[in-house]
Amino acid sequence: MQLLRPKFSRKYVATQLSLLLMIATLVSIAASGQANASNPPTERVSVAEDVACAVLDGGLACWGQNGNLILGTDNSTQSSTAVRIFAAGSGVTQVSVGSRSACVVIKGGVKCWGENTYGLLGNGSTLDMPSPVVAIPEGSGVTQVAVGNYSSCAVVQSGVRCWGRNSIGQLGNGTIADSLVPVAVLAAPAAELANISKVSVGNRHACAMGSAGVFCWGENSNGQLGNGTDLSSAFAGHVLEGDIATDVASAGDTSCYAVAGALRCWGFDYLDFDGDSNTRFVSVPSTVLGTNERVSNVSIGDSHICVVAGQSVKCAGANWDGQLGNATRLDSSEFGLAVAVGATQVDAGESSTCAVVSNELWCWGANYEGGLGNGELTHTAVPLASPFGQEVSSFAAGDDFSCAVVNGGVECVGANWEGQLGNGTKIHSHQPVSAIPENSGVVAVFVGDSHACAIVGVDRNLYCWGGNDNGQLGDGTESVTVDADGNFTVTDNDRLRPIEITQAGESIESVAMGGDHTCILRLGAVECWGANYQGQLGYNSFSSSLVPFTAVTSGATAIDATFTSTCALLEEAGVQKIKCWGSNWSGGLGLNPELNDQNRLWVPTQTYAAAAGETISSFSMGTDHFCMLIGGGVKCAGANYSGQLGNNSTNNSYEPVIAIAEGSGVTAITAGTDLTCAVAAGIVKCWGANTHGQVGGNFMGRNSTYSTPQSVSISAGPVASIDAYSSHVCAAVESGQYCWGENLAGALGAVRTPSSSVPVLASTVTVARVAPDNPSTDQEEQDGGGTGGSGNSGGGSSGGGTGTEQTNGAAPQLVISKLHLSTTSQRLLFSGTNLQNVQSIRVGGLDAKILFAAETEILLEIPAGLAGKPTLEITSSVGTQTIEGAFQVVKPYTARTVRVSSFTSNGPSTKSNQAITAMWKRDVSVNQVSCTVMVPNKSTLAAKKAALSKASATCQAAAGLSNRFAGFAVAVKSAAVKKPHVNVTFNRTTPVAVPEG
């Protein structure tokens, strides 16, 4: 279930605007200087089609759609909040975003990323790049860059260099040959254009301004060169009546320049430049705005134009998504006020606009893909500002979620497919939620793929919660069973709140969590339970076990597990050894899988013995490799396809190799899926796969790897502890918990980005220097499990007594946190205290359904048919409270469906009715799947139609699959054709506000 904020009416937004601006968390942008002919306004924000970027403190952040890799990842995942491309202090001074790529000026050079058709990135190739590449080296004297459709230009030491497509002379170098690298723009053969302060790029033309006026070159079919003709030119030429401009802009087939007190435009005439509605284009500059204010900045969108006049923003043109910012959706050929004061720069996108206002970023208009950067997908016709102690003693990172021990309790954040956050729901959370209340005596927390466990109290008992498909929680139950015929039966035995695993007993020293198995270390012995299809429990059988099996009887001092394997560090006859069991298909356990049937180890098998003088302090397992902390250094063995062994190679090694030399001060190590991180002298170093920025390098993407350790900058350091899982990493410092890498379902915390190569603050908890004392844990467990009184329906007490002891008879104190809206219902989220004592709630005289109740939160579904500001009546054990006019019932949403991706596979190989089962990892952005049949190898349309009439595919959710995976049984009817093609399409349906009126 996704909870979305409401779309309020324009009247409501207008009346509340001043309040919203005061309480919003604002993006800080350095102020632009006063513009003049030699110093045009610096572009610190740039907007394109459903995507925007802003320069922030010498770094860069982008948000919106990612179809062309502009968000810095090689997937199409959008982000409605800012994604860091360059860290603060990187030296970025200006940005330009086009429909296919983006470029920045950085330290006097240019870097670009995105689509690279025709050499749009200027790096000498045509390969698309999700990470910035060098177009012009640093120190080259670049002052400004402009990105167009298939070409880009930059001002370099007062000259202009362009690159990319050149089909009609838009590079201005006197030819029509494309160029993969920057070339000089010429005013005439052998005469470079000079004394230029700014360049702008349109569809297939470009313009520049300088001390001699305004120049344009390229296509001229719509008069876009402004020279009174429709003849194209591969050389830069003067614009007629071209004054000494304060700014110049080009987009599509239109150009404009600003001059004191006026705006003059030419080219395609969608704003009726010359006052003649019958004119298709204007080939000389025409005044479209006259004002007594100084026009310092102009920007052209797809069908609208905006200017900074004085300190205000004024816009004209199309307004279907509110891109004019005038609180209407009515087109206007007259420039109207969008922002009254404080504006220094404006940039118009396809149907949205952003401006720098009093050093803050304001945006308005279309928000289909989160392009406004405010965390929403709701359009707005009114400019809005865009947003940008406890103690933790240990934490652990799981598959798209993390948990931490906070003041003796447990808090978790991220994905919640199977209840792994432990808060009684299956709702993902970008904010930490409580699984076990504070002061419950929690000593340590451990996480697996979709389940978690904690050691609690002086007796060190085990409590677990989350997914339980194969009995991995250890409570004697499992969610998925298979009969002798292979049929699945699914019983939801996931545990949404912590339960005590009584069969695990006491005195547990450590826990190792696999994908769907769990192991404990106690008194030198290792016991495991859960799935065993790869031998990960350590006994010679495929069968799962719902009760603990003793894999190692004595001598173990540490344990770890990956998805389908387990290892233990033991001491035998004075020698430290690592013994492992489970999957070794890629040699991840340190043994060659092609020798002696070592691809699967059914029983504990020695994989490494310490050499004389070596001391193994700790070890950590990745999916296909493991690493050891030895003498302040790191050694790794196993698969190395992503450089995860850290030895400057991608060759597998079944003998440990050196990643960090001994004596380097390494104090902690952790291994993820195909990466490794270490803490050396308080600094994080990572190596391996960087698909989502998990190594911390700027060059992230599908094929991005680092085979040597890379330093990850956490300015709040030094780092105390670290943990990695799958494709994200978290580290604890004194000021909080920082995470980086993939952010599926909020694994990085409150920062809603698809991924980040820069560590972001996921939690404001601080690292405890001393683990909290373990109080007595003899509180009564109630109704639903938990620890320290955490098990009652309201989340229990956070103190030392039972939940009823502290809360009975206390009146609930409620505050409405948010009004949520979906396509089918409206919900209220309350926060407060003593909310577990709420017995019923009526809204507008109608009974409301309480979807979730805890001590500090209640989620309420509002009855249908209400309007206005209905009264709330809250009945508790101490009486009834009434709240008048606390919220506004708003309009319902409509659903907007977007195709995310699709694939085609072959159907049955014979002409018969068969079923195909497709299974894949869930994607939170996909909520619809459809299946259709395409008939191959038919020579005529009639033949295809005839075959299709007898062939069909239906798509139905397959039973018996984990909540971590989506499965669909595609039933194919193919009596008339052999091997039809089955097309499976993934869609995302997003609520979109109903337009006003």
Side-chain angles (χ1 to χ4, degrees):
M1 177 177 65
Q2 279 190 316
L3 301 179
L4 302 176
R5 294 181 183 173
K7 167 67 172 67
F8 295 104
S9 67
R10 289 196 304 270
K11 180 179 179 181
Y12 183 85
V13 171
T15 56
Q16 298 296 318
L17 179 58
S18 59
L19 175 62
L20 288 172
L21 296 181
M22 285 190 291
I23 65 174
T25 302
L26 304 177
V27 175
S28 176
I29 301 178
S32 299
Q34 292 296 316
N36 52 48
S38 61
N39 181 28
T42 301
E43 293 164 309
R44 302 184 185 276
V45 60
S46 184
V47 185
E49 181 181 353
D50 295 326
V51 65
C53 296
V55 178
L56 307 171
D57 300 322
L60 188 79
C62 300
W63 56 91
Q65 63 89 10
N66 194 35
N68 295 303
L69 314 181
I70 292 175
L71 297 191
T73 62
D74 62 351
N75 56 50
S76 60
T77 305
Q78 67 183 27
S79 176
S80 60
T81 54
V83 178
R84 275 283 185 178
I85 307 299
F86 290 91
S90 297
V92 177
T93 55
Q94 185 251 328
V95 61
S96 180
V97 181
S99 60
R100 292 173 170 83
S101 66
C103 295
V104 295
V105 176
I106 179 169
K107 298 179 181 178
V110 174
K111 288 186 176 182
C112 303
W113 64 100
E115 185 180 325
N116 202 16
T117 308
Y118 301 106
L120 186 55
L121 303 186
N123 67 331
S125 81
T126 57
L127 297 176
D128 298 347
M129 293 297 297
S131 300
V133 295
V134 175
I136 300 177
E138 294 180 6
S140 298
V142 178
T143 55
Q144 185 251 335
V145 66
V147 177
N149 226 5
Y150 285 113
S151 61
S152 299
C153 297
V155 178
V156 185
Q157 295 183 353
S158 299
V160 179
R161 301 289 186 271
C162 297
W163 58 93
R165 194 175 189 185
N166 197 28
S167 57
I168 200 164
Q170 58 262 50
L171 299 189
N173 65 339
T175 76
I176 56 170
D178 300 342
S179 179
L180 305 184
V181 295
V183 294
V185 174
L186 306 177
E192 290 190 18
L193 191 63
N195 300 316
I196 298 300
S197 57
K198 184 176 181 180
V199 65
S200 61
V201 181
N203 186 22
R204 297 202 296 175
H205 80 290
C207 295
M209 56 174 269
S211 60
V214 179
F215 300 81
C216 295
W217 59 93
E219 185 180 17
N220 199 28
S221 59
N222 284 316
Q224 51 264 58
L225 301 190
N227 59 5
T229 76
D230 60 359
L231 300 177
S232 301
S233 174
F235 293 101
H238 262 110
V239 172
L240 295 182
E241 304 177 15
D243 299 292
I244 304 302
T246 57
D247 198 19
V248 65
S250 301
D253 291 340
T254 304
S255 292
C256 298
Y257 72 80
V259 68
L263 177 68
R264 293 177 180 154
C265 300
W266 62 97
F268 189 77
D269 190 17
Y270 61 80
L271 270 191
D272 192 16
F273 297 154
D274 61 354
D276 183 354
S277 60
N278 295 317
T279 303
R280 185 175 68 86
F281 65 87
V282 175
S283 60
V284 295
S286 299
T287 300
V288 296
L289 173 65
T291 174
N292 57 6
E293 297 175 306
R294 184 173 182 273
V295 179
S296 60
N297 184 211
V298 57
S299 183
I300 305 173
D302 186 63
S303 299
H304 73 296
I305 299 174
C306 294
V307 299
V308 175
Q311 292 189 7
S312 63
V313 174
K314 296 180 179 180
C315 300
N319 197 28
W320 52 76
D321 286 324
Q323 58 263 48
L324 300 188
N326 60 0
T328 78
R329 285 183 171 81
L330 301 176
D331 298 347
S332 175
S333 60
E334 299 291 330
F335 281 81
L337 188 67
V339 176
V341 294
T344 54
Q345 190 227 326
V346 66
D347 199 71
E350 182 187 35
S351 56
S352 61
T353 311
C354 289
V356 178
V357 181
S358 299
N359 301 337
E360 299 165 354
L361 183 64
W362 290 23
C363 296
W364 59 94
N367 203 21
Y368 291 107
E369 304 287 343
L372 300 187
N374 60 358
E376 307 292 343
L377 295 174
T378 303
H379 311 330
T380 177
V382 177
L384 295 176
S386 295
F388 269 83
Q390 300 161 309
E391 287 194 344
V392 56
S393 54
S394 74
F395 69 95
D399 192 358
D400 305 323
F401 79 107
S402 304
C403 294
V405 178
V406 179
N407 286 336
V410 174
E411 291 186 358
C412 300
V413 65
N416 202 20
W417 309 104
E418 301 182 35
Q420 58 262 50
L421 299 189
N423 66 336
T425 78
K426 289 189 177 182
I427 302 171
H428 307 326
S429 178
H430 293 263
Q431 299 286 348
V433 296
S434 176
I436 300 176
E438 296 180 16
N439 303 315
S440 295
V442 177
V443 177
V445 66
F446 309 86
V447 299
D449 185 59
S450 59
H451 70 300
C453 294
I455 298 174
V456 180
V458 292
D459 293 330
R460 302 183 72 89
N461 293 320
L462 188 67
Y463 288 78
C464 297
W465 61 95
N468 197 29
D469 292 351
N470 291 283
Q472 60 263 42
L473 296 187
D475 66 345
T477 70
E478 58 185 330
S479 294
V480 179
T481 58
V482 185
D483 63 20
D485 297 324
N487 298 314
F488 287 93
T489 301
V490 180
T491 304
D492 189 356
N493 283 319
D494 297 341
R495 303 304 181 190
L496 308 188
R497 291 192 181 277
I499 57 173
E500 185 177 5
I501 309 304
T502 54
Q503 64 181 12
E506 302 175 348
S507 303
I508 295 172
E509 299 169 35
S510 185
V511 182
M513 312 282 281
D516 43 12
H517 77 289
T518 302
C519 297
I520 59 172
L521 172 62
R522 177 173 49 199
L523 302 176
V526 179
E527 303 170 32
C528 302
W529 59 86
N532 195 41
Y533 46 85
Q534 291 291 335
Q536 56 263 50
L537 300 188
Y539 67 92
N540 196 6
S541 170
F542 281 104
S543 302
S544 299
S545 177
L546 302 183
V547 296
F549 169 78
T550 302
V552 175
T553 57
S554 63
T557 57
I559 56 174
D560 198 10
T562 185
F563 199 87
T564 54
S565 55
T566 312
C567 291
L569 176 62
L570 302 90
E571 185 167 332
E572 293 181 340
V575 178
Q576 283 186 308
K577 299 178 181 179
I578 290 182
K579 289 189 176 182
C580 301
W581 53 98
S583 174
N584 188 43
W585 291 100
S586 298
L589 303 184
L591 297 176
N592 189 335
E594 298 179 1
L595 298 178
N596 304 320
D597 194 27
Q598 294 180 144
N599 55 10
R600 185 189 289 116
L601 308 179
W602 291 108
V603 296
T605 303
Q606 179 177 312
T607 61
Y608 183 76
E614 272 189 348
T615 299
I616 304 173
S617 301
S618 65
F619 75 100
S620 183
M621 300 175 64
T623 299
D624 297 316
H625 75 295
F626 74 93
C627 294
M628 300 173 289
L629 172 52
I630 299 176
V634 178
K635 287 185 177 181
C636 301
N640 199 26
Y641 43 83
S642 295
Q644 59 262 49
L645 301 188
N647 65 335
N648 199 25
S649 167
T650 55
N651 297 323
N652 297 348
S653 177
Y654 308 117
E655 291 292 329
V657 295
I658 296 174
I660 299 178
E662 292 187 27
S664 297
V666 176
T667 56
I669 58 172
T670 181
T673 297
D674 46 6
L675 82 151
T676 311
C677 293
V679 178
I683 298 173
V684 175
K685 294 182 180 292
C686 296
W687 56 95
N690 198 42
T691 49
H692 299 280
Q694 59 266 43
V695 172
N698 282 330
F699 297 100
M700 58 182 176
R702 183 178 295 118
N703 299 315
S704 175
T705 59
Y706 289 84
S707 59
T708 58
Q710 307 292 309
S711 295
V712 180
S713 176
I714 302 178
S715 59
V719 173
S721 58
I722 190 169
D723 198 22
Y725 193 98
S726 186
S727 52
H728 79 287
V729 185
C730 293
V733 300
E734 288 190 10
S735 59
Q737 181 178 337
Y738 284 79
C739 299
W740 61 97
E742 188 176 18
N743 194 27
L744 181 64
L748 303 190
V751 181
R752 299 185 184 182
T753 66
S755 58
S756 176
S757 62
V758 178
V760 296
L761 186 62
S763 173
T764 56
V765 296
T766 57
V767 179
R769 297 181 180 276
V770 180
D773 294 333
N774 297 327
S776 174
T777 57
D778 60 355
Q779 299 113 326
E780 180 183 356
E781 179 187 346
Q782 304 176 31
D783 189 19
T787 63
S790 67
N792 58 32
S793 62
S797 166
S798 61
T802 63
T804 55
E805 226 171 271
Q806 295 195 13
T807 60
N808 273 355
Q813 303 297 315
L814 296 90
V815 176
I816 294 176
S817 296
K818 292 176 183 176
L819 173 64
H820 295 293
L821 199 63
S822 73
T823 55
T824 57
S825 63
Q826 299 180 70
R827 297 180 170 92
L828 273 178
L829 180 66
F830 296 96
S831 61
T833 57
N834 301 322
L835 301 188
Q836 77 282 355
N837 290 334
V838 172
Q839 297 172 344
S840 65
I841 299 180
R842 292 172 64 83
V843 183
L846 301 175
D847 290 331
K849 181 180 180 182
I850 297 177
L851 300 176
F852 168 69
E855 184 178 5
T856 59
E857 276 191 334
I858 284 183
L859 182 62
L860 181 74
E861 185 166 291
I862 302 171
L866 294 176
K869 295 184 176 182
T871 299
L872 283 168
E873 298 174 65
I874 299 100
T875 300
S876 68
S877 56
V878 294
T880 299
Q881 299 170 254
T882 300
I883 302 177
E884 299 281 357
F887 69 99
Q888 172 81 43
V889 177
V890 297
K891 281 185 156 188
Y893 277 42
T894 58
R896 174 175 180 261
T897 300
V898 179
R899 192 183 79 169
V900 176
S901 62
S902 66
F903 71 87
T904 301
S905 62
N906 291 332
S909 59
T910 60
K911 297 180 180 180
S912 62
N913 298 335
Q914 292 191 22
I916 306 167
T917 300
M919 188 175 79
W920 55 89
K921 188 175 179 180
R922 284 189 187 275
D923 184 336
V924 294
S925 65
V926 173
N927 54 26
Q928 289 185 1
V929 180
S930 62
C931 301
T932 57
V933 166
M934 297 180 295
V935 179
N937 304 322
K938 294 295 178 183
S939 58
T940 66
L941 180 61
K944 287 186 176 182
K945 287 183 176 180
L948 279 173
S949 67
K950 298 179 181 179
S952 63
T954 57
C955 196
Q956 183 176 356
L961 297 175
S962 164
N963 284 343
R964 281 295 300 143
F965 292 87
F968 284 86
V970 184
V972 183
K973 179 181 179 182
S974 58
V977 60
K978 182 178 179 180
K979 212 168 187 178
H981 291 174
V982 181
N983 181 262
V984 182
T985 302
F986 303 87
N987 295 311
R988 179 181 69 253
T989 298
T990 303
V992 177
V994 177
E996 295 294 332

